[in-house]
Amino acid sequence: MASVTPQEYVEEVLRLVESIPEGRVMSYGAIADVLADRSGRNSARQVGTIMARNGGGVPWHRVVTSAGRMPPGHEQEARQRLLSEGVPVKGEHVDMTRASWLP
C-alpha cells in the first residue's frame, strides 16, 4: 500500500474532482475508494473535510453523498449547478443510478 503526505492527498482529491465530467457526480466514498490504493487512505469523511476546506476552486457541486444528497449548506446552489449540467435529480437527491461516475 502506497502512502502520500496529507498535502499530496488533498491534491489527489482535488485533481480527481476536477476530472468528474459535466453532468456526472461522484460520492465522497467513491473518491476515497478510487484513491485508496495509491494514497493509503480510505475515508469518505476525510474527503468531505478536504472538499469543505479546499474545494472552492474545483467543481465541488459534483461531489455528493452515496445517497445523492448534495453538499450540506450548499444544497440550493449545488442543485442549480447540477440541473444546469443535466444531472438527473429526484426530489432533493441526485439520481445516483444514472449520474454516478467512476474514472
Side-chain angles (χ1 to χ4, degrees):
M1 180 182 335
S3 187
V4 297
T5 68
Q7 185 56 40
E8 288 169 335
Y9 188 64
V10 168
E11 291 167 9
E12 290 282 327
V13 167
L14 298 177
R15 192 173 304 118
L16 180 53
V17 172
E18 285 179 329
S19 74
I20 302 170
E22 191 171 302
R24 303 300 293 272
V25 298
M26 283 185 81
S27 71
Y28 299 98
I31 292 170
D33 290 346
V34 166
L35 297 176
D37 286 344
R38 69 177 175 256
S39 72
R41 294 169 171 82
N42 190 358
S43 168
R45 187 161 293 183
Q46 188 173 20
V47 170
T49 298
I50 289 168
M51 291 303 298
R53 292 181 181 164
N54 306 285
V58 298
W60 56 268
H61 57 284
R62 296 181 190 151
V63 182
V64 297
T65 69
S66 60
R69 216 175 91 236
M70 295 167 214
H74 303 281
E75 295 91 348
Q76 191 171 23
E77 183 178 354
R79 180 181 173 81
Q80 290 172 344
R81 288 180 181 216
L82 292 170
L83 287 172
S84 75
E85 293 182 359
V87 172
V89 174
K90 287 182 177 178
E92 296 301 312
H93 294 78
V94 170
D95 181 346
M96 293 301 284
T97 304
R98 294 172 46 212
S100 190
W101 178 81
L102 289 173

